Amino acid sequence: MSRDKKVLIYEAALSLVYENNDLSAIKVADIARRANIGKGTVYEYFHSKEQVIGEALIYRIQQGLQRFARLLDEGLSFKETYLAFLRHYKAMISKNRHIYNLMTMNPAHVAVHAAVHAVIYPRLRQLKDQYFQLMERLVARSVEEGIIKPDPDRFDWQTAVLSSITGIFLHQQFPADFPHLGDEEVLEKAYSVYVKLLS
Amino acid sequence: MSRDKKVLIYEAALSLVYENNDLSAIKVADIARRANIGKGTVYEYFHSKEQVIGEALIYRIQQGLQRFARLLDEGLSFKETYLAFLRHYKAMISKNRHIYNLMTMNPAHVAVHAAVHAVIYPRLRQLKDQYFQLMERLVARSVEEGIIKPDPDRFDWQTAVLSSITGIFLHQQFPADFPHLGDEEVLEKAYSVYVKLLS
Amino acid sequence: MSRDKKVLIYEAALSLVYENNDLSAIKVADIARRANIGKGTVYEYFHSKEQVIGEALIYRIQQGLQRFARLLDEGLSFKETYLAFLRHYKAMISKNRHIYNLMTMNPAHVAVHAAVHAVIYPRLRQLKDQYFQLMERLVARSVEEGIIKPDPDRFDWQTAVLSSITGIFLHQQFPADFPHLGDEEVLEKAYSVYVKLLS
Amino acid sequence: MSRDKKVLIYEAALSLVYENNDLSAIKVADIARRANIGKGTVYEYFHSKEQVIGEALIYRIQQGLQRFARLLDEGLSFKETYLAFLRHYKAMISKNRHIYNLMTMNPAHVAVHAAVHAVIYPRLRQLKDQYFQLMERLVARSVEEGIIKPDPDRFDWQTAVLSSITGIFLHQQFPADFPHLGDEEVLEKAYSVYVKLLS
DNA sequence: CATGAATGAGACTTCATTCAT
DNA sequence: AATGAATGAAGTCTCATTCAT
């Protein structure tokens, strides 16, 4: 019961995260209203607003990891898997714009409220490791299929994956700059970035 | 005199942006204290806190653009110029961690307070165009020097540049993951990402 | 429950209106303290300070109208009713001096803060109409009793009533100027003003 | 020189009093701008904002008294003088509406900021006496001309004069209620109120 | 368990007043 | 004498959190 209610609150908080683009603009009252519960009830399950949002973000990341793990188990080819992975990223990015926009222009932009960060940080490191472990399985598959050279450097393949994602971001953020490029073409390009960097 | 005082306030605000990692956590009182002026003085020069922070960010971006433009005029080789550009980025990123950290793990993270964004947005587009125009000059130089293939696609070279930066980010954020890589090696790798993607 | 708390706040605000003689000098903190509630609670029931004060004034006017209506239903003679009406006015005036004082000396004096006025205005017109409708009933009674001429002009009887009130004001404001006049004599004079103007 | 500058500031303040309908909404910066002088200059001539506004009001009242005195010396008939007096009142009222509107509906409305009042009060009493002395001369003339009964009671003639003014107010505030009445007719009615009450 | 009314700390912003020029 | 940049006290309003029901 307690588990369900927590998830209900997570989903409410996340839907607001997607809409607001600024974590500190999210109010406890909003979360409660979105979840159709009383404001006080939120505090039956969490100590603070920051804990709600922080845990909600972690919850979403974990979902992404599970989905990624399931995708890896489907036995698809590397390319199919990689494209599915990128498509998922694309979908997530589209829920919350502005991110890339500001980031590339000036690194002096900001990610999360310090208090939320304090909640997330201890578990984020571990989630990141899980994430890259899954990614490593995917990379291994591309080696097995002979698509890239064997035994790529850890830094190189991580850069390669992030570069693929970067292309996706770029297209998503400034579609008007690339009228000649359709969604599928961008995915192909992103795939080819990976291949080029690791061949 | 108005100009000097505004710059004083910009610098105070930016120093807090670097420290705080969350724009809405910055208080006008902090900015004033940091600038060694009274709270009310801030409002002699700006209409709102959001305007202060928004314009301060734009000010910093413009500084970066000027610096980039000067760098391009120094007549260095492409590689020297590109590495200098990446070094500058690296320095800026180091002032404000967390950005990449959260962004790559989950795009459901957030950039700026809506009110700040409203101040920035109208001018950001234009600054981005200037930025990419300068970048285009740099790319052209790499073509002239025969380092990459002629006439690269707009999307491809933008992706290539951003991928170089991505590698820098990665190393900066998780140095512990790459104990074998020194700063200069990472810059070389970032350079080679650009070359590989556009050859 | 919302209703009771609103009335509590109205009464607190009105007691301050009576004391302060300047609406914009009233602070939300004062209202809250007077009502024995927290500052924030005021904002649970009202959007702004101006709304509190504006609605409180309307509330008091409505009370006066209800009282007036009840008085009319008591079946007293015209003179008894009219004197009771004037006595009530007198009591209200005594709560807030200065009004007449300044008004008659120079019309360049001011009534209410613009923001309060914006709250009041839309409903004030309607309340005024109710007020004059009740007054019309009273006037009709004086006709029935043969005290004044039938079918008095609207402007004339309104002027007559206000002139009665004016006498009351005058006595209230400058009692030292009229040491020979007791309260009841003034009421008699005010009554006779009405009769003289409409006979 | 000092005198001229003070008058300049008085006029600026008064023009704002007429516009604002709420004394505490008037800012020193506004007064200075309106007078085309620096904000600091205001404080060369006055100790506080309240002193500026308070003295400006007194200045205007004194002007009215002088004008009234001059009018009395013109040797016009009582009726001509009385109508001229009422016309002047009418003109002043029209500069600042809302006054009557609120006053008659609820005496719980407010006149002036307490601090302004403190400036005005000591001199207002004396001005009022001057005002009623002039008025007494006017009343005496109506006796001489045989328009009213000799030796009217002080309270009665003050009430009569104020009742005349009340009619003017009424018409000014709610012109839509009296479409059948023109400006001159109202003045005639106001005159006749005086006559009826004192005959 | 669930609620939401009540709270008050804390942030933004205004503006009368000062004072160095 | 005149100025207006600088100031900070003071006031409005928000919202996370509590707690009695």
Side-chain angles (χ1 to χ4, degrees):
Chain A
M1 193 61 98
S2 154
R3 188 69 214 158
D4 287 352
K5 193 62 78 70
K6 276 193 144 187
V7 168
L8 182 69
I9 294 170
Y10 287 154
E11 296 290 355
L14 287 168
S15 74
L16 288 163
V17 167
Y18 290 144
E19 286 172 21
N20 271 288
N21 247 17
D22 173 19
L23 299 197
S24 47
I26 296 171
K27 290 169 242 172
V28 172
D30 295 337
I31 296 173
R33 198 178 311 114
R34 193 61 70 95
N36 276 317
I37 59 173
K39 231 188 318 172
T41 310
V42 174
Y43 287 89
E44 294 285 326
Y45 296 90
F46 300 93
H47 293 309
S48 69
K49 186 179 82 155
E50 281 73 24
Q51 202 200 3
V52 175
I53 296 175
E55 290 196 8
L57 291 171
I58 288 169
Y59 166 79
R60 176 69 9 120
I61 291 170
Q62 284 176 324
Q63 282 188 323
L65 288 176
Q66 282 163 20
R67 185 175 173 146
F68 191 13
R70 260 182 276 119
L71 178 64
L72 283 173
D73 290 337
E74 281 182 27
L76 301 173
S77 74
F78 168 72
K79 184 169 181 181
E80 283 166 332
T81 311
Y82 198 70
L83 291 180
F85 167 77
L86 291 177
R87 269 192 206 95
H88 176 56
Y89 241 106
K90 195 173 160 66
M92 291 213 291
I93 298 163
S94 72
K95 287 187 180 165
N96 196 283
R97 332 196 93 237
H98 308 306
I99 294 169
Y100 184 89
N101 197 359
L102 292 153
M103 196 204 87
T104 55
M105 290 301 293
N106 187 343
H109 289 280
V110 168
V112 236
H113 187 80
V116 175
H117 191 259
V119 172
I120 292 179
Y121 198 74
R123 293 168 69 184
L124 198 59
R125 185 80 206 183
Q126 168 196 356
L127 289 169
K128 176 193 155 278
D129 289 342
Q130 284 177 32
Y131 174 70
F132 278 116
Q133 274 159 29
L134 294 174
M135 193 66 75
E136 204 157 13
R137 282 180 54 197
L138 183 57
V139 170
R141 190 171 305 175
S142 69
V143 172
E144 288 161 22
E145 294 185 16
I147 292 166
I148 66 168
K149 278 193 294 199
D151 205 26
D153 181 71
R154 180 179 185 70
F155 178 80
D156 292 341
W157 66 254
Q158 287 189 8
T159 301
V161 172
L162 292 174
S163 296
S164 290
I165 292 171
T166 293
I168 306 288
F169 270 133
L170 186 59
H171 185 248
Q172 187 106 40
Q173 289 296 317
F174 309 105
D177 288 357
F178 314 107
H180 58 296
L181 278 183
D183 283 2
E184 283 303 310
E185 280 169 291
V186 169
L187 288 172
E188 277 296 331
K189 276 180 179 286
Y191 172 75
S192 108
V193 162
Y194 176 87
V195 175
K196 274 190 195 159
L197 288 179
L198 300 176
S199 294
Chain B
M1 55 194 70
S2 156
R3 189 70 214 159
D4 287 351
K5 193 60 74 76
K6 275 193 143 189
V7 168
L8 179 70
I9 295 169
Y10 287 154
E11 296 290 357
L14 287 167
S15 76
L16 288 162
V17 167
Y18 291 144
E19 286 172 21
N20 269 288
N21 251 15
D22 173 18
L23 299 197
S24 46
I26 297 171
K27 285 165 264 175
V28 173
D30 296 337
I31 297 173
R33 198 178 311 115
R34 190 62 65 97
N36 275 316
I37 59 175
K39 236 184 319 165
T41 308
V42 174
Y43 287 90
E44 292 285 318
Y45 296 90
F46 300 92
H47 292 310
S48 67
K49 187 180 77 160
E50 280 74 25
Q51 202 200 2
V52 175
I53 296 176
E55 288 195 9
L57 292 172
I58 287 169
Y59 166 78
R60 177 68 10 120
I61 291 171
Q62 283 176 324
Q63 282 189 324
L65 286 176
Q66 283 164 19
R67 186 176 173 146
F68 189 13
R70 261 182 276 119
L71 177 64
L72 284 173
D73 289 337
E74 282 181 25
L76 302 174
S77 74
F78 168 72
K79 184 168 180 180
E80 283 167 331
T81 310
Y82 199 71
L83 290 180
F85 166 77
L86 292 177
R87 268 191 207 96
H88 176 56
Y89 240 106
K90 194 174 159 67
M92 292 214 289
I93 298 163
S94 73
K95 287 186 180 165
N96 196 280
R97 329 198 96 235
H98 308 305
I99 294 169
Y100 187 86
N101 195 0
L102 290 152
M103 203 204 81
T104 54
M105 289 300 292
N106 186 344
H109 290 280
V110 169
V112 244
H113 187 78
V116 174
H117 192 259
V119 171
I120 292 178
Y121 198 76
R123 294 168 69 184
L124 197 57
R125 185 79 206 185
Q126 169 196 354
L127 290 169
K128 174 193 156 280
D129 289 342
Q130 285 177 31
Y131 174 70
F132 277 116
Q133 274 161 28
L134 294 174
M135 194 64 76
E136 206 158 12
R137 282 179 54 196
L138 184 57
V139 171
R141 191 169 304 176
S142 70
V143 173
E144 287 161 24
E145 295 185 15
I147 293 167
I148 67 168
K149 278 193 296 197
D151 207 26
D153 181 70
R154 181 177 184 70
F155 177 80
D156 291 341
W157 66 253
Q158 288 189 8
T159 302
V161 172
L162 292 174
S163 295
S164 290
I165 292 170
T166 293
I168 306 288
F169 270 132
L170 187 59
H171 186 248
Q172 187 106 43
Q173 291 296 317
F174 309 105
D177 288 359
F178 314 107
H180 57 296
L181 279 181
D183 282 3
E184 282 304 310
E185 277 169 293
V186 169
L187 287 173
E188 278 296 332
K189 275 178 178 287
Y191 172 75
S192 110
V193 161
Y194 176 87
V195 175
K196 274 188 196 161
L197 287 178
L198 298 177
S199 295
Chain C
M1 54 195 69
S2 156
R3 189 71 213 158
D4 288 352
K5 193 58 73 73
K6 275 194 142 185
V7 169
L8 180 70
I9 294 169
Y10 287 155
E11 296 291 356
L14 287 168
S15 75
L16 288 163
V17 167
Y18 291 144
E19 286 172 21
N20 269 288
N21 253 13
D22 174 20
L23 300 198
S24 44
I26 297 170
K27 285 164 265 174
V28 173
D30 295 337
I31 297 173
R33 199 178 309 115
R34 191 62 65 98
N36 275 316
I37 58 175
K39 235 185 321 166
T41 308
V42 174
Y43 288 91
E44 291 286 318
Y45 295 90
F46 301 92
H47 292 311
S48 68
K49 186 180 78 157
E50 281 73 24
Q51 201 200 5
V52 175
I53 296 175
E55 287 196 10
L57 292 172
I58 287 171
Y59 167 78
R60 176 70 9 120
I61 292 170
Q62 284 176 322
Q63 281 188 324
L65 287 175
Q66 283 163 19
R67 185 174 174 149
F68 190 13
R70 263 183 273 118
L71 178 63
L72 284 173
D73 288 337
E74 282 182 24
L76 303 173
S77 72
F78 167 73
K79 184 168 181 180
E80 284 166 332
T81 311
Y82 198 71
L83 290 179
F85 167 77
L86 291 177
R87 268 190 207 97
H88 176 57
Y89 240 105
K90 195 174 159 65
M92 291 214 289
I93 299 162
S94 73
K95 286 186 181 166
N96 196 279
R97 331 198 93 236
H98 308 304
I99 294 169
Y100 188 87
N101 195 1
L102 291 152
M103 202 204 82
T104 54
M105 289 301 290
N106 187 343
H109 290 280
V110 168
V112 245
H113 187 77
V116 174
H117 192 260
V119 172
I120 292 179
Y121 198 75
R123 293 168 70 183
L124 198 57
R125 185 81 205 184
Q126 169 196 355
L127 290 169
K128 175 194 155 278
D129 289 341
Q130 284 177 31
Y131 175 70
F132 278 116
Q133 274 161 28
L134 294 174
M135 194 64 77
E136 206 158 13
R137 283 179 54 196
L138 184 56
V139 171
R141 192 170 302 176
S142 69
V143 173
E144 287 161 24
E145 295 184 15
I147 293 167
I148 66 166
K149 278 194 294 199
D151 206 25
D153 181 71
R154 182 179 183 69
F155 178 80
D156 292 341
W157 66 252
Q158 288 189 7
T159 302
V161 173
L162 292 173
S163 296
S164 291
I165 292 170
T166 293
I168 306 288
F169 270 132
L170 187 58
H171 186 248
Q172 188 106 44
Q173 290 297 316
F174 309 105
D177 288 358
F178 315 107
H180 58 296
L181 278 181
D183 282 3
E184 282 304 309
E185 278 169 292
V186 169
L187 288 173
E188 278 295 333
K189 276 179 177 290
Y191 172 75
S192 109
V193 161
Y194 176 87
V195 176
K196 276 189 194 158
L197 288 179
L198 299 175
S199 295
Chain D
M1 192 60 95
S2 154
R3 187 71 214 155
D4 288 351
K5 194 61 79 68
K6 275 194 144 188
V7 168
L8 182 69
I9 295 170
Y10 287 156
E11 296 291 355
L14 287 168
S15 75
L16 289 163
V17 167
Y18 290 143
E19 286 171 21
N20 271 290
N21 247 19
D22 174 17
L23 300 197
S24 46
I26 296 171
K27 290 168 242 171
V28 172
D30 294 338
I31 296 172
R33 197 178 312 115
R34 193 61 69 98
N36 276 318
I37 58 174
K39 231 185 321 171
T41 310
V42 174
Y43 287 89
E44 293 286 325
Y45 295 90
F46 300 93
H47 293 311
S48 69
K49 185 180 81 156
E50 279 74 25
Q51 202 200 4
V52 175
I53 296 176
E55 289 196 9
L57 291 172
I58 287 170
Y59 166 79
R60 176 69 12 120
I61 291 171
Q62 284 176 324
Q63 282 189 323
L65 287 175
Q66 283 163 20
R67 186 177 172 146
F68 190 12
R70 262 182 275 118
L71 177 65
L72 284 173
D73 288 338
E74 281 181 26
L76 301 173
S77 74
F78 168 73
K79 187 169 180 180
E80 285 167 331
T81 311
Y82 198 70
L83 291 180
F85 166 77
L86 291 177
R87 269 190 206 96
H88 177 56
Y89 241 106
K90 196 173 159 64
M92 290 214 290
I93 298 163
S94 73
K95 286 187 182 165
N96 195 283
R97 333 198 91 238
H98 307 306
I99 294 169
Y100 185 88
N101 197 357
L102 291 153
M103 196 206 88
T104 54
M105 290 301 293
N106 188 342
H109 289 281
V110 167
V112 237
H113 187 79
V116 175
H117 191 259
V119 173
I120 292 178
Y121 199 75
R123 294 168 68 185
L124 197 58
R125 187 78 207 183
Q126 168 196 355
L127 290 170
K128 175 191 156 281
D129 289 342
Q130 283 178 33
Y131 175 70
F132 277 116
Q133 274 161 29
L134 294 174
M135 194 65 76
E136 205 159 13
R137 281 179 55 197
L138 183 57
V139 170
R141 191 170 304 174
S142 68
V143 171
E144 288 160 24
E145 294 184 18
I147 292 166
I148 67 166
K149 279 194 294 199
D151 206 25
D153 181 72
R154 181 180 185 68
F155 177 81
D156 291 341
W157 66 254
Q158 288 189 7
T159 302
V161 172
L162 293 174
S163 295
S164 290
I165 292 169
T166 293
I168 305 288
F169 270 133
L170 188 59
H171 185 247
Q172 188 106 41
Q173 289 298 315
F174 309 105
D177 287 358
F178 314 107
H180 58 296
L181 278 182
D183 282 2
E184 283 303 309
E185 278 169 292
V186 169
L187 288 172
E188 276 298 330
K189 275 178 178 289
Y191 172 75
S192 109
V193 161
Y194 176 87
V195 176
K196 275 189 195 160
L197 287 178
L198 300 176
S199 294

